Amino acid sequence: MKVSLSQRIYFFTVSCCILFAVIVGSIIWSFQKVELAFSREHYTQKVANHANILKQLVTSDNIYASDYNADNWLKLQSKLMNLLKSAPELTPQQQIIQNSINSQNQSAKQLFSKMNENKLNDASESIKNHLKTRLMIQLEVIRADSVQLSNMVQKDIYDVVQRQALFIFILLAVSILILLYGSSRLSKVFKVSLSEVKNAFENNHSGNFQKIKLSNQSDEFDSIVTAFNLMNHKLSETMVSLAMMKNIVEDRTRVLEQLSNTDPLTKVANRRALFERGDLELSRTDRIHNNLTLILLDCDYFKNVNDVHGHQIGDELLKHICKICNKEIRSIDFLGRYGGEEFIIILPDCDVDGGIEIAKRIQNSLIKDCLIVEGKELNVTLSMGISMLIDKSETFEQLINKADQAMYVAKENGRNRIEVSTSVSPV
């Protein structure tokens, strides 16, 4: 169908209107996205503040005192729970962290209730301190997850603003070019020149960036041809640059993903990656019906190491323990830092006997290859709790709790022991 020059001008005008509508719509959409991101940011700050206050209450008050009033702590914890229930809409990645916060909050509430129920009058000071430390760790994890969630939200704000600003700038530039060149010069073009320009655009669309060579020269088309040829030259360079940038972005993304899933001290998986792998192994177990065993290990008297030798030696000891564990576990096993001096080893397709065997290898290897501090051997032991998935409806957190209870029994029975959860009978 033959299209007249006036129709082309009309089409260009309509296109400009559409682009303007897209710009307005994009601005509105960007405002909504930024507003949602700020609401998420405000939410994460409130969660972090609540967690800090709860930690301060635990630190400043003697929760085991007979006259201790837990009302303030419980009221604040209730406010935190209500706040978590009123969380704004989150992305799937942010929701994972939100779920971790909810889980830790429930665990902290249960642990505090247990500690405050009878003041643990019959328990030793070490047990009381251990439980109090665990409560502080859980509150710190809530705060740390809130900070991580806040960082993700801030990045979302930056990405939305940057992406939309660039998009709006491109649309404005295209609109201006269409108005200035299309409206004033397309009305004066010749048929042959129009055909040649049309062919050049078709070749350009297919990736063939060739220069336009007009059969009939004209002042009206010379500037268009020059701009088009310059654009083609830049596009040909940009295509190469985009490919290089894509590779760089992909490499940086892989590095960032690895950093976000790695404990900065020990270089093993962090708590977030540990829970992600645990949920994955639970799904795989449910699908192919294989065994799943978990080892939770804790370094005995780790606080004494920090007190006597300093925190730097304590950090080196944690890294040494991770090296020993990585040497003794299988390639399909997964080691992660659960918190403090506690580590978890996920053992896919492994029963309790296999878990006990791996735990013994780790203990023996730690005895043979101990850490050398100032020319002297630093001998430490590990208390380990083992649990195995029995009920397919169990969650990964429940599996951890069973292993933690077994490890607690190992601590009570003298440390440097391997205990199996009471809900599991070794084969």
Side-chain angles (χ1 to χ4, degrees), residues 327-351:
K327 183 176 69 173
E328 298 299 334
I329 63 178
R330 304 168 300 171
S331 60
I332 63 172
D333 300 332
F334 188 82
L335 172 66
R337 187 178 183 184
Y338 185 57
E341 66 272 21
E342 292 183 334
F343 298 87
I344 287 178
I345 304 174
I346 302 174
L347 306 173
D349 197 17
C350 179
D351 57 14

Side-chain angles (χ1 to χ4, degrees), residues 185 188-190 193 214-225:
R185 304 206 179 178
K188 302 177 182 179
V189 297
F190 302 97
S193 297
L214 293 176
S215 300
N216 299 311
Q217 298 296 325
S218 63
D219 293 338
E220 292 80 11
F221 264 83
D222 283 343
S223 59
I224 295 177
V225 168

Side-chain angles (χ1 to χ4, degrees), residues 204 209-211 227-239:
N204 193 42
F209 302 111
Q210 295 181 351
K211 293 183 177 181
F228 183 85
N229 291 337
L230 179 60
M231 179 188 68
N232 270 358
H233 177 69
K234 291 183 178 180
L235 281 175
S236 62
E237 294 179 345
T238 303
M239 292 300 292

Side-chain angles (χ1 to χ4, degrees), residues 48-221:
N49 290 337
H50 277 72
N52 278 331
I53 297 175
L54 286 172
K55 283 179 58 181
Q56 293 172 4
L57 290 176
V58 174
T59 304
S60 60
D61 297 336
N62 182 8
I63 60 178
Y64 296 112
S66 58
D67 58 346
Y68 174 69
N69 188 352
D71 290 343
N72 290 337
W73 199 94
L74 292 174
K75 287 180 181 178
L76 185 59
Q77 202 279 334
S78 178
K79 290 182 179 180
L80 177 57
M81 183 172 294
N82 293 332
L83 177 61
L84 295 177
K85 292 179 180 178
S86 62
E89 180 185 357
L90 302 173
T91 64
Q93 189 176 13
Q94 293 167 354
Q95 188 61 46
I96 293 175
I97 302 177
Q98 170 71 8
N99 293 339
S100 174
I101 294 175
N102 284 325
S103 174
Q104 290 300 324
N105 184 48
Q106 290 291 343
S107 299
K109 179 181 178 182
Q110 294 173 2
L111 181 58
F112 182 84
S113 299
K114 179 179 179 181
M115 296 165 62
N116 192 61
E117 188 172 349
N118 55 12
K119 309 301 182 183
L120 298 177
N121 294 329
D122 298 331
S124 63
E125 286 298 320
S126 63
I127 294 176
K128 291 181 179 181
N129 292 335
H130 174 71
L131 293 177
K132 187 172 181 179
T133 301
R134 283 185 55 194
L135 180 59
M136 293 289 292
I137 290 174
Q138 289 174 334
L139 293 174
E140 175 59 23
V141 170
I142 294 176
R143 188 201 67 79
D145 285 347
S146 301
V147 172
Q148 183 180 3
L149 186 58
S150 176
N151 292 336
M152 293 175 64
V153 169
Q154 292 175 4
K155 185 178 182 301
D156 285 346
I157 296 174
Y158 174 80
D159 289 343
V160 168
V161 172
Q162 185 183 47
R163 183 172 58 251
Q164 291 308 117
L166 179 61
F167 180 62
I168 292 171
F169 175 80
I170 292 174
L171 289 179
L172 286 173
V174 172
S175 300
I176 292 173
L177 287 175
I178 291 174
L179 288 173
L180 292 179
Y181 292 100
S183 300
S184 63
R185 304 206 179 178
L186 285 177
S187 61
K188 302 177 182 179
V189 297
F190 302 97
K191 282 187 177 182
V192 175
S193 297
L194 284 174
S195 177
E196 291 173 342
V197 171
K198 179 182 176 183
N199 292 334
F201 272 101
E202 290 176 350
N203 293 333
N204 193 42
H205 180 71
S206 63
N208 185 12
F209 302 111
Q210 295 181 351
K211 293 183 177 181
I212 299 178
K213 295 181 180 179
L214 293 176
S215 300
N216 299 311
Q217 298 296 325
S218 63
D219 293 338
E220 292 80 11
F221 264 83

